[in-house]
C-alpha cells in the first residue's frame, strides 16, 4: 500500500469536519497506516515538542517530514544554513508513550498544525486505533521456518515436542480453526524437507534483517545503523535499531538453512529481557521475532527481581528504559531448537543474536513478569504463527 500524500490528508481532514463516522474513520485509518509520524524536538529538553493550543498542551505531530520541516521554518527553528532537525517515530511507539504524556499533563495530539490541525485527546488515541485497526494494513512476517510436504511449500512452526510441525494452509485435508485459518499438524518424518529462511539487506554499510512487509514497505533491523544512508533509525533495544523503507529501495538477499527433521538434542533455553515497548508488543500480539542480547537460562536463574536483573546484566546504560527501582520487569524465555540462529559471545553471560540470524518467535516462548518481591508470573505464551500470543490461563 502506498502511503497517503499530503493532498490526500488535506482532503480527508476537510471531509472529517462533517463529523460523520465514515469520514473520521477514513482519516484516522490513513494516519495509522503511516509507517512513521514526524515530530519536532523540544528545544528546552530532550523529547518531542509540545505546543499550547487554546490553553491546552498538545503533542505536535506531522504526517510527513516535509510538513514538520516547513512548520519548523515558519517558527524560526531552522539553523543558519536552513537545516531543521525532525524526529520520526512509529505510531505504535507513540501509543506506548500515551500514559506517560497524559501523566505529565499533555491533553492531546494534533497533526499538521498550521495546515489542517486535526486532533484527538490522548485518552482517545488507543480507542481510535482499536476502531480502525482492521482497516490498517497489517505486517506480514517474512522468513522463518518452512516445510515441503506432498511436493508443496508451506510456512511451518516447529511444535513444542520437536517431533511435529504445524503447516499453515491452504492445503489438501487441512483443518479450519475458529478464525478460519487452515492448518495441518504432521510428524516431521513425513516432510519432504524442513528448512529456515532469513531475508537480509544492506542499507548503506549496515547489514539488516528484513522482519516484515507492510503493503509496499519493509521493516528492517540492524545493530550498526548507517546514518549517512538516508533512513531514520530508531532504537528498539540495546544495540538494535529499526527503520521502515519502501520495498523498491531494498535489495533482498536470502539465507536458507536445512534443518534436521529429527531433533538431535533437547533445545537450549534462553532468556531475553524485554523493554517496556517490547512487552507491550507481546500483549498486543505484535512481537514475532527475537534479536539482540540473550542469555542461557541456567546462567540467570538467580536474578529474580527487577533490581537483580538490571544490575546483573548491566542494563542501566545511557538512555536505558530500565531502572533498578522499577516495580516489575518482563523477560522472554524461549527454546532455541536448532543451530540456525547463531549466538555471538558479547560478554558473559550474554550472547547476541545478530541481524542475519534474527529468529522467528518459537512455539512455547513465554513472557514472564518479575516483581520486586521475587515472584515470577507467566503472563503470555506464544502458540505459533496461527495462534500468536495468548494470555496464560
Amino acid at each position: 500500500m502506498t502511503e497517503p500524500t499530503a493532498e490526500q490528508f488535506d482532503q480527508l481532514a476537510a471531509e472529517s469536519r462533517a463529523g460523520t463516522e465514515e469520514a473520521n474513520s477514513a482519516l484516522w485509518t490513513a494516519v495509522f497506516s503511516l509507517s512513521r509520524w514526524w515530530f519536532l524536538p523540544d528545544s528546552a529538553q530532550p523529547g518531542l515538542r509540545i505546543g499550547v493550543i487554546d490553553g491546552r498542551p498538545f503533542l505536535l505531530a506531522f504526517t510527513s517530514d516535509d510538513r514538520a520541516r516547513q512548520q519548523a521554518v515558519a517558527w524560526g527553528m531552522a539553523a543558519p544554513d536552513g537545516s531543521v532537525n525532525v524526529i520520526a517515530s512509529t505510531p505504535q511507539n507513540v501509543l506506548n508513550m500515551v500514559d506517560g504524556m497524559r501523566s505529565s499533563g499533555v491533553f492531546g495530539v494534533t497533526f499538521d498544525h498550521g495546515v489542517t490541525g486535526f486532533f484527538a485527546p490522548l485518552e482517545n488515541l488507543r480507542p481510535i486505533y482499536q476502531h480502525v485497526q482492521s482497516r490498517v494494513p497489517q505486517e506480514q512476517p517474512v522468513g522463518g521456518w518452512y516445510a515441503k510436504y506432498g511436493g508443496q511449500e508451506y510456512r511451518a512452526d516447529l511444535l513444542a515436542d520437536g517431533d511435529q510441525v504445524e503447516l499453515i494452509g491452504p492445503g489438501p485435508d487441512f483443518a479450519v480453526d475458529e478464525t478460519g485459518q487452515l492448518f495441518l499438524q504432521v510428524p516431521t518424518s513425513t516432510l519432504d524437507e524442513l528448512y529456515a529462511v532469513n531475508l537480509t539487506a544492506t542499507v548503506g554499510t549496515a547489514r539488516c534483517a528484513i522482519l516484515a512487509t507492510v503493503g509496499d514497505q519493509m521493516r528492517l533491523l540492524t545493530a550498526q545503523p548507517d546514518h549517512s544512508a538516508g533512513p531514520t533509525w530508531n532504537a528498539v533495544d540495546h544495540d538494535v535499531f529499526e527503520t521502515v523503507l519502501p520495498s523498491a529501495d531494498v535489495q533482498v538477499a536470502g539465507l536458507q538453512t536445512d534443518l534436521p527433521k529429527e531433533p538431535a538434542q533437547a533445545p537450549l533455553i534462553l532468556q531475553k529481557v524485554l523493554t517496556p515497548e517490547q512487552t507491550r508488543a507481546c500483549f498486543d500480539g505484535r512481537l514475532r521475532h527475537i534479536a539482540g542480547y540473550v542469555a542461557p537460562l541456567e546462567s540467570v536463574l538467580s536474578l529474580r527481581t527487577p533490581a537483580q536483573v538490571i544490575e546483573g546484566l548491566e542494563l542501566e546504560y545511557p538512555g536505558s528504559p530500565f531502572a533498578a527501582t522499577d516495580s516489575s520487569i518482563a523477560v522472554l524465555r524461549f527454546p532455541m531448537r536448532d543451530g540456525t540462529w547463531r549466538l555471538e559471545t558479547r560478554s558473559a553471560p550474554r550472547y547476541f543474536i545478530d541481524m542475519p540470524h534474527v529468529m522467528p518467535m518459537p512455539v512455547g516462548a513465554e513472557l514472564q513478569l518479575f516483581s520486586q518481591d521475587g515472584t515470577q508470573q507467566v503472563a503470555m505464551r506464544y502458540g505459533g504463527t496461527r495462534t500468536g500470543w495468548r494470555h496464560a490461563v
Side-chain angles (χ1 to χ4, degrees), residues 193-278:
E193 192 176 357
L194 179 64
Y195 50 93
V197 174
N198 276 3
L199 297 182
T200 63
T202 300
V203 178
T205 59
R207 298 180 69 195
C208 307
I210 301 175
L211 297 181
T213 61
V214 191
D216 59 0
Q217 299 203 326
M218 286 186 171
R219 187 159 66 92
L220 299 86
L221 286 184
T222 188
Q224 296 178 318
D226 183 348
H227 297 289
S228 67
T232 300
W233 293 96
N234 299 279
V236 294
D237 202 345
H238 186 196
D239 288 352
V240 178
F241 299 82
E242 173 193 295
T243 195
V244 175
L245 289 176
S247 299
D249 296 344
V250 180
Q251 188 70 34
V252 179
L255 178 67
Q256 180 171 323
T257 305
D258 289 333
L259 306 181
K261 288 190 284 186
E262 294 185 7
Q265 57 188 15
L268 175 65
I269 305 300
L270 297 174
Q271 177 172 296
K272 177 176 178 59
V273 181
L274 298 183
T275 65
E277 180 181 344
Q278 291 168 326

Side-chain angles (χ1 to χ4, degrees), residues 9-31:
F9 267 113
D10 293 347
Q11 181 65 29
L12 290 169
E15 292 171 353
S16 73
R17 295 190 187 102
T20 67
E21 180 177 346
E22 182 59 30
N24 283 326
S25 294
L27 173 62
W28 288 102
T29 297
V31 170

Side-chain angles (χ1 to χ4, degrees), residues 309-348:
V309 171
I310 291 166
E311 180 180 359
L313 297 177
E314 300 177 343
L315 294 178
E316 282 194 300
Y317 48 85
S320 170
F322 306 106
T325 56
D326 288 345
S327 60
S328 66
I329 195 167
V331 304
L332 184 70
R333 289 182 174 175
F334 60 95
M336 177 174 278
R337 298 193 176 280
D338 58 78
T340 306
W341 322 111
R342 301 172 190 170
L343 300 178
E344 291 185 1
T345 302
R346 289 290 177 95
S347 60

Side-chain angles (χ1 to χ4, degrees), residues 1 13 38 59 66 88 145 174 178 274 282 292-293 311 324:
M1 190 200 87
W38 298 85
L59 174 65
D66 284 342
W145 289 282
F174 278 42
E178 65 276 8
L274 298 183
C282 272
Y293 284 99
E311 180 180 359

Side-chain angles (χ1 to χ4, degrees), residues 356-376:
H357 303 287
V358 168
M359 65 182 294
M361 191 66 63
V363 173
E366 291 184 345
L367 171 67
Q368 296 194 12
L369 301 177
F370 292 7
S371 301
Q372 286 183 333
D373 62 3
T375 58
Q376 301 176 0

